[in-house]
């Protein structure tokens, strides 16, 4: 999900500490640093390490790493120290070990902010299929079902999330009849996975298809208190219907946990 990481870095700016895998959180609320950057950048770093070591040796490293630090809390410095020692021990040739350590490039990947030092090729047949399903829905304009639409229910939830985020990026092409067909076709969009439902509702709101998902939206923000899910929904809703956003907030604010209640206020919602 290269685009998701790019969007997160662009939001903060490539020089911002929050785009590092070791952000400086002194004097700031950790919730303010939340984004997809550590997930996607961290995943790509691990994939980079795997490709440098080889998949088999990467598995050996992970096994030894977990065994070494079981039942402990550790820091990034502990990880890097152990990884360097593991490489030196595993590769008896000193020159080869040093080459591998240099190629991993820990400082640029982990400590420095901004984009990854290497843009990895993350293409896969599954992503291609999800992209094609998005394009087919748009091309068919809601008049008929895409050929492989039933495959969506077989997607792992991360692939369903990717499908929805791609639709969000292309929302200007989505007519009401397309959204209606997508909603009718896929039971997962009526399910209970918050990662999926949150993005579906965000898509519906941003595509100005609010009335059709209003009951689901009311139920979701009234039973889900996690800030990462509800704040974006309130913000996007307030841009289009302040009255409804305020109504839902007033009804549910006593339900929200202290973190959400503190950081989710009407002035906050309306000012963004």
């Amino acid at each position: 999900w290269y685009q998701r990481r790019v969007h997160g870095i662009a939001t903060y700016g490539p020089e911002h500490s929050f785009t590092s895998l070791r952000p400086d959180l002194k004097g700031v609320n950790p919730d303010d640093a939340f984004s997809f950057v550590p997930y996607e950048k961290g995943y790509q770093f691990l994939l980079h390490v795997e490709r440098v070591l080889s998949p088999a040796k990467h598995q050996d490293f992970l096994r030894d790493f977990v065994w070494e630090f079981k039942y402990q809390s550790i820091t990034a410095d502990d990880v890097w120290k152990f990884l360097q020692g593991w490489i030196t021990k595993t590769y008896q040739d000193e020159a080869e070990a040093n080459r591998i350590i240099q190629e991993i490039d820990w400082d640029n990947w982990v400590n420095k902010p901004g984009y990854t030092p290497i843009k990895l090729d993350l293409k896969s047949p599954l992503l291609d299929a999800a992209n094609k399903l998005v394009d087919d829905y748009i091309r068919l304009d809601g008049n008929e079902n895409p050929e492989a639409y039933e495959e969506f229910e077989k997607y792992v939830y991360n692939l369903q999330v990717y499908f929805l985020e791609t639709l969000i990026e292309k929302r200007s092409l989505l007519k009401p009849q397309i959204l209606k067909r997508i909603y009718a076709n896929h039971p997962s969009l009526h399910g209970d996975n918050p990662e999926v439902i949150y993005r579906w509702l965000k898509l519906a709101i941003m595509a100005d298809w609010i009335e059709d998902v209003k009951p689901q939206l009311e139920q979701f923000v009234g039973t889900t208190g996690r800030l990462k899910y509800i704040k974006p929904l309130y913000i996007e809703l307030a841009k289009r219907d302040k009255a409804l956003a305020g109504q839902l907030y007033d009804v549910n604010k006593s339900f929200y946990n202290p973190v959400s209640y503190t950081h989710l206020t009407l002035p906050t919602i309306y000012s963004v």
Side-chain angles (χ1 to χ4, degrees), residues 131-150 163 167 173-182 185-186:
N131 285 321
K132 185 176 186 305
L133 184 58
V134 168
D135 292 339
D136 285 350
Y137 266 118
I138 294 172
R139 176 177 57 81
L140 294 169
D141 203 33
N143 295 315
E144 57 183 286
N145 292 326
E147 181 179 351
Y149 80 96
E150 293 176 322
F163 169 83
L167 283 173
L173 303 175
L174 299 178
K175 299 177 182 177
Q177 64 265 27
I178 299 176
L179 292 166
K180 184 176 181 180
R181 185 169 288 274
I182 292 172
N185 278 348
H186 302 304

Side-chain angles (χ1 to χ4, degrees), residues 47-268:
L47 182 60
H48 166 67
V49 173
E50 179 184 71
R51 290 177 177 179
V52 172
L53 295 178
S54 84
K57 281 189 166 57
H58 189 244
Q59 286 297 309
D60 291 341
F61 161 70
L62 292 176
R63 183 193 60 236
D64 294 344
F65 170 78
V66 171
W67 184 255
E68 175 72 16
F69 294 109
K70 62 183 183 297
Y71 313 126
Q72 300 179 52
S73 296
I74 62 173
T75 67
D77 289 332
D78 296 323
V79 178
W80 181 222
K81 181 179 179 180
F82 179 80
L83 177 55
Q84 291 179 90
W86 186 91
I87 292 171
T88 301
K89 180 180 177 181
T90 301
Y91 296 87
Q92 299 297 320
D93 183 271
E94 183 178 354
E96 176 68 0
N98 288 334
R99 183 195 65 78
I100 291 172
I101 290 172
Q102 290 297 317
E103 189 174 350
I104 287 175
D105 197 13
W106 174 274
D107 187 52
N108 280 319
W109 274 94
V110 177
N111 295 324
K112 293 185 178 180
Y115 300 99
T116 56
I118 301 172
K119 183 179 177 181
L120 302 179
D121 181 3
L122 302 177
K123 294 179 181 179
S124 77
L126 291 174
L127 290 180
D128 291 342
N131 285 321
K132 185 176 186 305
L133 184 58
V134 168
D135 292 339
D136 285 350
Y137 266 118
I138 294 172
R139 176 177 57 81
L140 294 169
D141 203 33
N143 295 315
E144 57 183 286
N145 292 326
E147 181 179 351
Y149 80 96
E150 293 176 322
E151 292 298 309
F152 179 84
E153 294 304 313
K154 300 176 184 178
Y155 289 176
V156 296
Y157 94 86
N158 276 328
L159 194 57
Q160 292 182 344
V161 165
Y162 175 82
F163 169 83
L164 292 169
E165 290 187 342
T166 305
L167 283 173
I168 290 173
E169 292 175 2
K170 299 185 177 184
R171 63 187 179 277
S172 63
L173 303 175
L174 299 178
K175 299 177 182 177
Q177 64 265 27
I178 299 176
L179 292 166
K180 184 176 181 180
R181 185 169 288 274
I182 292 172
Y183 199 31
N185 278 348
H186 302 304
S188 294
L189 303 182
H190 305 260
D192 56 7
N193 186 324
E195 296 286 346
V196 173
I197 301 306
Y198 145 67
R199 287 173 175 84
W200 162 247
L201 291 173
K202 184 178 179 182
L203 167 63
I205 293 170
M206 295 179 74
D208 295 314
W209 205 60
I210 298 171
E211 283 301 315
D212 295 79
V213 298
K214 185 177 176 181
Q216 187 180 23
L217 175 62
E218 291 173 338
Q219 190 273 339
F220 186 77
V221 299
T223 57
T224 304
R226 191 172 178 188
L227 197 63
K228 67 167 280 192
Y229 298 135
I230 59 176
K231 185 174 181 179
L233 295 181
Y234 274 115
I235 288 173
E236 293 301 330
L237 183 60
K239 292 177 182 177
R240 295 158 178 84
D241 191 336
K242 285 188 176 182
L244 180 57
Q247 175 188 338
L248 292 178
Y249 175 77
D250 286 338
V251 169
N252 298 302
K253 62 184 179 182
S254 62
F255 159 73
Y256 296 140
N257 61 64
V259 172
S260 293
Y261 182 78
T262 300
H263 292 273
L264 188 68
T265 63
L266 286 181
T268 300

